[in-house]
């Protein structure tokens, strides 16, 4: 479980996160939704410790994370996997080397054992014929898969995904979404996903936090979301025609 | 205002260096990075340094021959003066300035694009000290390799001079040879190497600093890479004066 407790974050005096509190549960896919620029990425990066927060606290299973010193943070970070909005694969490494990198740095396994784990993980994300290619040589969907593989190869306890399916076609998006959900349930980890894709919300949204202008505006499940009378949330949700139709049919 | 800005930059640079000079987590990973950097920063600079040294050696010898044209000056002085200018300034300082342009911009843009594509964040999330992982191998590779480039430049420069003396027929190659070998002080070669070691550190660390703190988009990365070249050039020149004063104790 990860908990944000009255988190605030400012850039140059401008509040980007304003008193955000939320609980993200273990074994579930927890979604953060909101318009572009609402602060989703900043929230995710604050949770994971890439941004220094200006107020509030962040808990990882009862450990107050933001006040830990570097070495203790490092111990937690070894249990964290993150999928970045742009993939953030290492350009100078092949697909295989990218996925192997965390193993190289943090384990004393033999080369064969590491390659076995890499193969297994790449198979897990259904990517089997790209081991020797460089990130510039693979498609956007493949980049996301490699990125997922690199994030889960160490079997993390916490998984953060920043728009895992942005820029992908609807079919590939659903495959990626379901992959993340599958992994979350199988490993019983805490997964937090940023998205502004309503398809993802309806597909895998176990818990949903709606961020509006840096504030925690609404939270609930995908079953509540269509019934809410929150105006800003409805504007966001029913911007897509599909969701409108879904509501009519209820 | 200007002074406080510079002091601020120096402070940030020092803080970064503090992160850089830590023990690498895994020796194997470090060795691999080091080999890569040796190739990128060192081997790939051999060509340009060799070409420039041959031509500069030739021009210096030619200029010496033209300007020392006098019945009162012994001919071998041309060889002597050529050797001294190569050893004292050209093969260390001028070669360092060339490397600041080539290697400095390369380092700043490489690290800068890793920054803006979140590859550095990805390292930090894994619990890797990104400054140490990315910058230390570059510094060590250049400190080891650049003095070898200096040595090569000295040799190529002398060869260039020797060659021009053959072709333009202003003096006998024997006279030139006598000049090259007369009153040879190994201390000056040592001085050239020491300068180059300091310059190597300056070029790689200053350029890394500009890349590491790049933000924004690819335009900004281009800008910080220009800034890296300008700043490392200036710092090299300042330290050239300081080191010369220290070495010759004037
Ligand atoms: N490093 C930064 N410095 C200053 N302002 C920032 C920084 N990072 C983000 N912001 C600001 O914070 C706000 C929220 O940005 P954020 O990236 O979190 O949006 P987002 O919800 O992830 O949008 P998108 O869906 O487009 O990715 C924006 O107004 C942005 O300008
Ligand atoms: Mg974002």
């Amino acid at each position: 479980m990860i908990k944000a407790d009255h988190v605030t974050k400012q850039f140059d005096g401008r509040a980007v996160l304003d008193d955000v509190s939320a609980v993200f549960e273990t074994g579930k896919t927890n979604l953060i939704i909101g318009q572009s620029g609402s602060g989703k990425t900043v929230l995710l990066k604050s949770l994971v410790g890439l941004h220094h927060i200006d107020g509030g606290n962040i808990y990882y299973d009862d450990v107050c994370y933001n006040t830990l010193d570097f070495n203790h943070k490092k111990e937690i970070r070894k249990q964290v996997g993150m999928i970045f909005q742009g993939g953030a694969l290492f350009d100078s490494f092949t697909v295989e080397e990218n996925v192997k990198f965390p193993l190289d740095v943090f384990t004393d396994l033999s080369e064969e054992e590491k390659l076995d784990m890499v193969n297994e993980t790449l198979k897990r994300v259904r990517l089997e014929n790209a081991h020797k290619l460089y990130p510039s040589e693979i498609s956007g969907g493949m980049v996301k898969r490699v990125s997922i593989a690199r994030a889960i190869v160490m079997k993390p306890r916490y998984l953060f995904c920043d728009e895992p399916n942005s820029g992908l076609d609807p079919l590939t998006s659903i495959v990626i979404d379901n992959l993340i959900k599958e992994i979350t349930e199988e490993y019983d980890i805490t997964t937090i996903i940023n998205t502004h894709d309503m398809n993802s919300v309806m597909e895998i949204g176990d818990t949903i936090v709606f961020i509006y202008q840096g504030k925690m505006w609404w939270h609930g499940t995908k079953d509540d979301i269509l019934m809410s009378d929150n105006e800003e949330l409805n504007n966001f949700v029913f911007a897509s025609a599909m969701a409108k139709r879904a509501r009519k049919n209820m | 205002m200007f002074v406080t800005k510079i002091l601020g930059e120096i402070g940030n640079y020092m803080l970064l260096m503090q992160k850089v000079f830590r023990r690498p987590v895994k020796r194997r990973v470090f060795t691999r990075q080091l080999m890569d950097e040796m190739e990128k920063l060192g081997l790939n600079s051999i060509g340009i340094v060799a070409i420039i040294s041959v031509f500069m050696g030739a021009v210096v010898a030619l200029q010496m021959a033209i300007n020392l044209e006098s019945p009162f000056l012994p001919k071998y002085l041309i060889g002597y003066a050529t050797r001294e200018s190569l050893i004292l300034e050209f093969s260390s300082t001028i070669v360092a300035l060339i490397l600041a342009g080539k290697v400095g911009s390369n380092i700043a843009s490489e690290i800068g694009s890793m920054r803006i594509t979140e590859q550095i964040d990805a390292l930090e999330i894994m619990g890797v000290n990104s400054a140490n992982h990315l910058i230390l191998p570059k510094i060590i590779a250049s400190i080891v390799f650049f003095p070898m480039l200096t040595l090569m430049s000295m040799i190529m420069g002398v060869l260039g001079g020797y060659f021009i003396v053959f072709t333009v027929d202003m003096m006998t190659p024997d006279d030139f040879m006598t000049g090259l070998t007369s009153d040879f002080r190994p201390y000056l070669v040592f001085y050239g190497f020491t300068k180059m070691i300091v310059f190597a550190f300056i070029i790689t660390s200053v350029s890394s600093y500009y890349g590491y703190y790049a933000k924004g988009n690819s335009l900004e990365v281009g800008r910080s890479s220009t800034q890296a070249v300008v700043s490392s050039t200036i710092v090299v020149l300042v330290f050239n004066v300081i080191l010369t004063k220290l070495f010759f104790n004037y």
Side-chain angles (χ1 to χ4, degrees):
Chain A
M1 181 217 48
I2 292 177
K3 196 167 90 186
D5 189 25
H6 300 288
V7 170
T8 60
K9 169 73 193 168
Q10 306 180 338
F11 283 113
D12 313 316
R14 189 171 62 98
V16 171
L17 295 180
D18 187 4
D19 196 25
V20 174
S21 296
V23 175
F24 305 98
E25 297 167 34
T26 307
K28 295 198 170 160
T29 41
N30 303 281
L31 267 51
I32 300 172
I33 62 172
Q35 282 175 18
S36 193
S38 54
K40 301 185 295 295
T41 299
V42 173
L43 176 56
L44 203 67
K45 286 193 173 174
S46 301
L47 289 174
V48 85
L50 283 172
H51 286 319
H52 177 83
I53 55 175
D54 297 310
N57 285 306
I58 290 160
Y59 297 90
Y60 279 56
D61 294 319
D62 302 325
V63 178
C64 184
Y65 179 64
N66 51 301
T67 53
L68 292 178
D69 63 28
F70 180 79
N71 284 325
H72 287 93
K73 263 193 186 145
K74 204 164 110 181
E75 287 312 307
I76 289 197
R77 283 190 175 181
K78 287 181 193 169
Q79 308 173 355
V80 167
M82 178 152 181
I83 301 160
F84 287 86
Q85 203 160 350
L89 298 181
F90 304 125
D91 291 327
S92 54
F93 288 2
T94 61
V95 164
E96 183 177 277
E97 289 166 337
N98 262 286
V99 179
K100 190 158 75 69
F101 182 78
L103 301 171
D104 284 338
V105 181
F106 292 115
T107 70
D108 291 310
L109 300 173
S110 73
E111 199 63 19
E112 290 93 74
E113 287 171 310
K114 285 190 274 191
L115 285 177
D116 278 350
M117 286 178 78
V118 170
N119 285 334
E120 190 189 308
T121 313
L122 283 172
K123 208 181 281 169
R124 189 97 185 62
V125 298
R126 297 177 194 103
L127 197 77
E128 279 164 87
N129 302 313
H131 287 56
K132 301 293 174 200
L133 297 179
Y134 284 89
S136 58
E137 299 169 336
I138 59 179
S139 75
M142 290 159 90
V143 167
K144 297 283 184 182
R145 285 168 205 243
V146 180
S147 183
I148 295 175
R150 188 179 65 183
I152 64 171
V153 71
M154 295 275 288
K155 304 238 160 50
R157 287 177 62 190
Y158 313 98
L159 184 63
F160 296 82
C161 317
D162 197 358
E163 316 235 356
N165 53 22
S166 66
L168 300 181
D169 63 88
L171 205 60
T172 314
S173 295
I174 289 179
V175 172
I176 297 271
D177 280 345
N178 284 325
L179 188 61
I180 294 173
K181 186 163 174 63
E182 213 177 285
I183 291 163
T184 303
E185 286 168 3
E186 190 183 316
Y187 297 169
D188 195 31
I189 58 185
T190 308
T191 299
I192 306 181
I193 306 171
N194 270 358
T195 183
H196 46 214
D197 180 3
M198 277 312 291
N199 287 331
S200 304
V201 174
M202 301 318 292
E203 196 76 29
I204 58 164
D206 289 340
T207 79
I208 299 158
V209 170
F210 174 61
I211 301 288
Y212 181 73
Q213 294 183 349
K215 294 193 181 62
M216 212 289 292
W217 208 254
W218 180 91
H219 67 101
T221 68
K222 68 181 175 200
D223 301 320
D224 312 334
I225 200 167
L226 298 177
M227 313 301 247
S228 147
D229 49 14
N230 186 308
E231 194 185 331
E232 287 77 18
L233 179 66
N234 283 341
N235 286 341
F236 178 83
V237 171
F238 298 108
S240 98
M242 195 203 67
K244 266 185 211 142
R245 238 178 291 128
R247 185 183 214 175
K248 241 182 251 156
N249 294 341
M250 272 160 87
Chain B
M1 180 62 211
F2 184 66
V3 174
T4 48
K5 188 167 169 264
I6 290 203
L7 287 179
E9 297 249 359
I10 293 177
N12 285 338
Y13 169 84
M14 295 292 184
L15 288 177
L16 179 64
M17 287 305 119
Q18 236 176 37
K19 270 184 82 186
V20 169
F21 286 97
R22 294 281 162 81
R23 241 172 65 113
V25 213
K26 274 267 162 9
R27 178 172 311 156
R28 264 235 304 257
V29 177
F30 177 78
T31 316
R32 196 190 123 164
Q33 293 278 101
L34 187 63
M35 291 303 144
D36 274 2
E37 299 300 342
M38 287 274 190
E39 184 184 338
K40 263 193 307 207
L41 306 182
L43 285 179
N44 292 345
S45 304
I46 287 181
I48 186 168
V49 171
I51 292 173
I52 293 178
S53 302
V54 168
F55 281 96
M56 284 305 289
V59 165
V60 169
L62 206 54
Q63 286 286 5
M64 293 299 170
I66 295 166
N67 288 297
L68 296 180
E69 183 82 275
S70 152
F72 302 109
L73 295 172
K75 284 285 184 205
Y76 75 84
L77 217 51
I78 300 171
Y80 175 78
T82 305
R83 187 197 75 207
E84 294 295 272
S85 5
L86 287 172
I87 292 180
L88 286 176
E89 290 304 325
F90 179 78
S91 296
S92 48
T93 313
I94 305 296
V95 167
L97 295 181
I98 292 161
L99 290 172
K102 182 179 183 291
V103 171
S105 60
N106 176 306
I107 291 178
S109 51
E110 179 190 323
I111 298 185
S113 38
M114 290 189 77
R115 165 64 75 195
I116 63 166
T117 56
E118 300 179 315
Q119 293 176 50
I120 292 183
D121 287 344
L123 286 169
E124 291 287 329
I125 285 300
M126 291 174 193
V128 175
N129 174 345
S130 59
N132 169 272
H133 174 75
L134 295 173
I135 302 176
L136 189 61
K138 290 187 197 298
I139 292 182
I140 295 193
S142 65
I143 284 181
V144 171
F145 214 102
F146 286 9
M148 294 195 233
L149 291 177
T150 295
L151 179 65
M152 185 196 69
S153 161
M154 289 174 184
I155 295 170
M156 298 304 262
V158 166
L159 286 179
Y162 197 67
F163 176 74
I164 203 76
V165 167
F166 255 114
T167 46
V168 295
D169 189 33
M170 280 193 227
M171 64 187 296
T172 65
D174 274 352
D175 276 343
F176 191 72
M177 209 55 203
T178 316
L180 283 182
T181 48
S182 76
D183 193 18
F184 179 71
R185 282 170 293 165
Y187 178 68
L188 297 185
V189 177
F190 171 69
Y191 158 76
F193 283 168
T194 313
K195 283 210 294 187
M196 195 47 145
I197 290 172
V198 175
F199 296 160
F201 177 77
I202 292 171
I203 294 169
T204 34
S205 62
V206 170
S207 309
S208 300
Y209 166 76
Y210 280 101
Y212 198 79
Y213 289 112
K215 41 175 154 306
N217 50 25
S218 50
L219 277 182
E220 303 273 343
V221 171
R223 212 165 320 181
S224 48
S225 128
T226 312
Q227 193 59 47
V229 175
V230 172
S231 300
S232 44
T233 303
I234 294 172
V235 179
V236 163
L237 290 173
V238 170
F239 271 82
N240 188 30
V241 176
I242 295 175
L243 288 173
T244 305
K245 186 149 164 38
L246 285 179
F247 259 86
F248 296 100
N249 220 348
Y250 282 121

